[in-house]
Amino acid sequence: MLALGALAGPLLASALGAGPSARASLAPTPCASDHATTTGRNSVALDDAALCLMNEIRIAHRLPELHVNAPLARIAAGQARDMVRGHYFGDQSLSGQTPLSRVMASGYALHPSSVHLLTAQNIGYGTGPNATPAGIVQAWMLSPPHRKIILTAAYHDVGVGVARSVPSGLSSRWLGGTYAVEFGTRGR
C-alpha cells in the first residue's frame, strides 16, 4: 500500500531543473538504510537515507544538493507524527495549520517582510517495501507533482520526518511508515 501527497506553497516561484549530467553515469554511492523499514528507533537513519536518495537524484540532474535545516526537520517530523496520531493523510495539521503557516511560525522565514521565501511539502506513507526511504522516494519520482518538487533547482534547504505506522490505522502484517519532507529557500 502506498499513498502520496504534494503541496507547493503559494510563494513557490522557481523553474524545474532538467537533463541528466555526466555525473549520472557514475555509480551512485549507496545510501545507508535506504531499504530499512521504521522500527520507531531508526527515524534519524531513515531521514538521512531519504535525503541521501533525493540528493543522488538531484546530482544526476545537475541540481544543487539539499541541506538539512533544523526548523524544517522539526516541521516534517511533527507533520509525520501528527498524521499518524490523527489517522489522517493531508497537508493541513490536526490543529488546522497549513504547511506555509508552520514554516512561518518556525523561524525559518526570518523576518517575513524582508524575505523571499519558497516552500513545498511532499508527504507519503506505505507498508512493506513501500515504507522504506527507497520505496517512498521512488514513488515520489514516479508522481509528476512530487518529482517536480524534488527537482526544483531553487530549493536549498530540507527537513525530513518519518513516523512509525501509517495514518489510516491500517492493520497489516507489514510495518508501515509515514514520511513528510519540507523544502525551502529563503533569501533577501
Side-chain angles (χ1 to χ4, degrees), residues 14-103:
S14 62
L16 183 63
S21 71
R23 290 179 70 181
S25 64
L26 299 174
T29 305
C31 296
S33 300
D34 62 343
H35 286 86
T37 56
T38 181
T39 65
R41 295 180 305 279
N42 65 343
S43 62
V44 171
L46 299 179
D47 295 350
D48 291 347
L51 175 58
C52 176
L53 292 165
M54 288 185 290
N55 275 334
E56 282 184 349
I57 292 163
R58 287 174 65 90
I59 288 167
H61 286 84
R62 296 183 183 167
L63 298 173
E65 290 186 44
L66 298 165
H67 300 282
V68 174
N69 176 275
L72 294 178
R74 283 190 295 275
I75 294 166
Q79 182 63 15
R81 285 191 307 267
D82 195 61
M83 287 188 290
V84 169
R85 184 179 66 247
H87 297 291
Y88 74 95
F89 183 67
D91 297 308
Q92 198 162 315
S93 70
L94 280 176
S95 66
Q97 283 190 303
T98 66
L100 181 59
S101 65
R102 290 190 297 270
V103 169

Side-chain angles (χ1 to χ4, degrees), residues 152-169:
T152 296
Y155 293 126
H156 299 272
D157 302 320
V158 71
V160 180
V162 180
R164 185 174 186 193
S165 194
V166 296
S168 64

